[in-house]
Amino acid sequence: MPRPVADFARYLRTETTGGIILLIATAVALLWANSPWDEAYTTIRDAKIGPEFLHLNLSVGDWAKDGLLALFFFVAGLELKRELVVGELSRLKQAVLPIVAAVGGMVVPAALALAIGFGEPGMAKAWAVPVATDIAFALGVLALTGSNLPSSARVFLLSLAVVDDLGAIILIAVLFTTGFDLVAAGVAVLAFAVYAWLQHKRVRAWWLYVPLAVVAWVAVHSAGVHATIAGVALGLLTRVRKDDDEEHAPAIRLEHRLQPWSAAVAVPVFALFAAGIDLTADSLASVFSSALPIAIMVGLLVGKTVGILGASMLAVRLGLAEKPRGTGWRDIAALSVLGGVGFTVSLLIADLALSGPETELAKAAVLIASAVASLTAAAMLVRRSRAHAEVDDLGEPS
């Protein structure tokens, strides 16, 4: 008889569940921050815990975005490497399309945001807010509404979301590194090298890897670079091909064990402390009357769609890439709209790029744009799912 714990973990691995938990955490944050108990929310979020040594006396909110999101990006890095090495993206022309689409989905939103918000306070860095796509939310919407779409559509969206989130993390490293500690950076590089060597030597002792991962995270954080980069790097360094004596490769085992923790703890807790913004009538009016939040919303809703779809069509027509098997342009258009769900990393960049009232406006813009993008994409995906269901085995989606 299956164990209840195993059944619950399997349930948490479904993308729909991850999206629902994230949505609930966001709703709780908004309700709590706008309730009579809002001071308790602020007190808990800003409470400092951790040793001062190595600059680890962080607020609860900072631990959520620096620590828990590292787990989220580690899992994302594992899945991306698996797809690139042994999955559907292992062929060059299949790998090129989501990468090109992700670049288009970063450049166009950033350019639109800059054009609209040029000269506004904070816009010098806030243009980076609409460059990211939220993996958990986007895949959750796709799983819920696009059940009849080919699996290649999910791989395209996953790869696109991970690549542009990695691009966003690079932007975070470049734009928001206030100081750089060479010694700590050297320790981080050494930790990554040891991790890669242990993987190469087929060492399977978890008691070596866990402390090593902690050292890598602390070193990256102490170097002045955003600590989530440690998660991405370790994920990409993990072995994805299984040996003859293995049932599964290390990347598969780790993803299987850690994905429920990422979906049920890491991302929702981050959302709980990042999405608690003021929702008074005046603050909402400011979102639609100030250039900065309008720039972010246009970047996510228009820039993402135009950038992803336009770059994809250009790459295919120039012969640089191939469309995903069984996926038509209308499917990719719906996925491009879904790319406007910025949420997790967009909220993270808003926190890092801005301060004071501008932060609240930027976060409100991200939440509104993400909600509109998810609902619009959901309607489009339901129609495309029905169209695929009606196509016979020899049919070709339009």
Side-chain angles (χ1 to χ4, degrees), residues 364-381:
V366 169
L367 293 176
I368 292 169
S370 297
V372 172
S374 60
L375 291 172
T376 304
M380 296 173 69
L381 288 167

mmCIF file of all heavy atoms in Angstrom, residues 364-381:
data_model
loop_
_atom_site.group_PDB
_atom_site.id
_atom_site.type_symbol
_atom_site.label_atom_id
_atom_site.label_comp_id
_atom_site.label_asym_id
_atom_site.label_seq_id
_atom_site.Cartn_x
_atom_site.Cartn_y
_atom_site.Cartn_z
ATOM 1 N N ALA A 364 3.101 45.908 -7.581
ATOM 2 C CA ALA A 364 1.697 45.907 -7.990
ATOM 3 C C ALA A 364 1.583 45.731 -9.490
ATOM 4 O O ALA A 364 0.713 44.986 -9.982
ATOM 5 C CB ALA A 364 1.024 47.209 -7.553
ATOM 6 N N ALA A 365 2.450 46.396 -10.246
ATOM 7 C CA ALA A 365 2.441 46.269 -11.708
ATOM 8 C C ALA A 365 2.732 44.836 -12.131
ATOM 9 O O ALA A 365 2.093 44.297 -13.042
ATOM 10 C CB ALA A 365 3.462 47.226 -12.323
ATOM 11 N N VAL A 366 3.695 44.194 -11.451
ATOM 12 C CA VAL A 366 4.040 42.802 -11.771
ATOM 13 C C VAL A 366 2.851 41.884 -11.500
ATOM 14 O O VAL A 366 2.514 41.018 -12.323
ATOM 15 C CB VAL A 366 5.270 42.350 -10.945
ATOM 16 C CG1 VAL A 366 5.466 40.842 -11.057
ATOM 17 C CG2 VAL A 366 6.520 43.076 -11.408
ATOM 18 N N LEU A 367 2.199 42.059 -10.361
ATOM 19 C CA LEU A 367 1.070 41.202 -10.002
ATOM 20 C C LEU A 367 -0.098 41.393 -10.966
ATOM 21 O O LEU A 367 -0.719 40.417 -11.415
ATOM 22 C CB LEU A 367 0.621 41.490 -8.568
ATOM 23 C CG LEU A 367 1.619 41.117 -7.463
ATOM 24 C CD1 LEU A 367 1.087 41.536 -6.110
ATOM 25 C CD2 LEU A 367 1.922 39.624 -7.473
ATOM 26 N N ILE A 368 -0.404 42.643 -11.308
ATOM 27 C CA ILE A 368 -1.516 42.909 -12.230
ATOM 28 C C ILE A 368 -1.214 42.345 -13.612
ATOM 29 O O ILE A 368 -2.047 41.660 -14.217
ATOM 30 C CB ILE A 368 -1.796 44.423 -12.303
ATOM 31 C CG1 ILE A 368 -2.361 44.922 -10.975
ATOM 32 C CG2 ILE A 368 -2.767 44.742 -13.442
ATOM 33 C CD1 ILE A 368 -2.425 46.432 -10.857
ATOM 34 N N ALA A 369 -0.019 42.634 -14.126
ATOM 35 C CA ALA A 369 0.350 42.141 -15.457
ATOM 36 C C ALA A 369 0.381 40.619 -15.494
ATOM 37 O O ALA A 369 -0.067 40.001 -16.475
ATOM 38 C CB ALA A 369 1.708 42.709 -15.870
ATOM 39 N N SER A 370 0.896 40.003 -14.433
ATOM 40 C CA SER A 370 0.959 38.538 -14.387
ATOM 41 C C SER A 370 -0.437 37.932 -14.370
ATOM 42 O O SER A 370 -0.682 36.899 -15.020
ATOM 43 C CB SER A 370 1.755 38.081 -13.160
ATOM 44 O OG SER A 370 3.096 38.514 -13.231
ATOM 45 N N ALA A 371 -1.355 38.561 -13.633
ATOM 46 C CA ALA A 371 -2.732 38.071 -13.589
ATOM 47 C C ALA A 371 -3.395 38.183 -14.954
ATOM 48 O O ALA A 371 -4.049 37.243 -15.430
ATOM 49 C CB ALA A 371 -3.536 38.849 -12.546
ATOM 50 N N VAL A 372 -3.235 39.334 -15.618
ATOM 51 C CA VAL A 372 -3.832 39.532 -16.951
ATOM 52 C C VAL A 372 -3.222 38.555 -17.958
ATOM 53 O O VAL A 372 -3.936 37.938 -18.763
ATOM 54 C CB VAL A 372 -3.636 40.983 -17.422
ATOM 55 C CG1 VAL A 372 -4.075 41.156 -18.881
ATOM 56 C CG2 VAL A 372 -4.409 41.948 -16.530
ATOM 57 N N ALA A 373 -1.900 38.393 -17.920
ATOM 58 C CA ALA A 373 -1.234 37.483 -18.854
ATOM 59 C C ALA A 373 -1.695 36.045 -18.645
ATOM 60 O O ALA A 373 -1.946 35.313 -19.621
ATOM 61 C CB ALA A 373 0.276 37.580 -18.690
ATOM 62 N N SER A 374 -1.810 35.624 -17.380
ATOM 63 C CA SER A 374 -2.196 34.231 -17.114
ATOM 64 C C SER A 374 -3.638 33.976 -17.552
ATOM 65 O O SER A 374 -3.933 32.923 -18.132
ATOM 66 C CB SER A 374 -2.013 33.909 -15.635
ATOM 67 O OG SER A 374 -2.814 34.741 -14.823
ATOM 68 N N LEU A 375 -4.551 34.918 -17.300
ATOM 69 C CA LEU A 375 -5.948 34.727 -17.699
ATOM 70 C C LEU A 375 -6.103 34.756 -19.216
ATOM 71 O O LEU A 375 -6.839 33.945 -19.788
ATOM 72 C CB LEU A 375 -6.818 35.815 -17.050
ATOM 73 C CG LEU A 375 -6.979 35.726 -15.529
ATOM 74 C CD1 LEU A 375 -7.700 36.954 -14.998
ATOM 75 C CD2 LEU A 375 -7.724 34.446 -15.141
ATOM 76 N N THR A 376 -5.417 35.686 -19.880
ATOM 77 C CA THR A 376 -5.483 35.763 -21.345
ATOM 78 C C THR A 376 -4.903 34.506 -21.977
ATOM 79 O O THR A 376 -5.492 33.915 -22.895
ATOM 80 C CB THR A 376 -4.721 37.004 -21.852
ATOM 81 O OG1 THR A 376 -5.237 38.178 -21.218
ATOM 82 C CG2 THR A 376 -4.854 37.146 -23.360
ATOM 83 N N ALA A 377 -3.728 34.102 -21.494
ATOM 84 C CA ALA A 377 -3.091 32.900 -22.034
ATOM 85 C C ALA A 377 -3.937 31.663 -21.758
ATOM 86 O O ALA A 377 -4.027 30.767 -22.613
ATOM 87 C CB ALA A 377 -1.702 32.730 -21.419
ATOM 88 N N ALA A 378 -4.564 31.601 -20.582
ATOM 89 C CA ALA A 378 -5.412 30.451 -20.250
ATOM 90 C C ALA A 378 -6.554 30.322 -21.252
ATOM 91 O O ALA A 378 -6.858 29.212 -21.728
ATOM 92 C CB ALA A 378 -5.961 30.588 -18.835
ATOM 93 N N ALA A 379 -7.197 31.445 -21.585
ATOM 94 C CA ALA A 379 -8.287 31.408 -22.568
ATOM 95 C C ALA A 379 -7.782 30.940 -23.933
ATOM 96 O O ALA A 379 -8.433 30.125 -24.606
ATOM 97 C CB ALA A 379 -8.920 32.792 -22.687
ATOM 98 N N MET A 380 -6.619 31.434 -24.343
ATOM 99 C CA MET A 380 -6.040 31.028 -25.628
ATOM 100 C C MET A 380 -5.661 29.550 -25.618
ATOM 101 O O MET A 380 -5.884 28.826 -26.597
ATOM 102 C CB MET A 380 -4.818 31.892 -25.948
ATOM 103 C CG MET A 380 -5.130 33.364 -26.145
ATOM 104 S SD MET A 380 -3.642 34.382 -26.318
ATOM 105 C CE MET A 380 -3.044 33.830 -27.939
ATOM 106 N N LEU A 381 -5.079 29.088 -24.511
ATOM 107 C CA LEU A 381 -4.631 27.691 -24.422
ATOM 108 C C LEU A 381 -5.803 26.722 -24.398
ATOM 109 O O LEU A 381 -5.707 25.612 -24.953
ATOM 110 C CB LEU A 381 -3.761 27.503 -23.180
ATOM 111 C CG LEU A 381 -2.365 28.123 -23.250
ATOM 112 C CD1 LEU A 381 -1.716 28.160 -21.878
ATOM 113 C CD2 LEU A 381 -1.480 27.360 -24.242
#
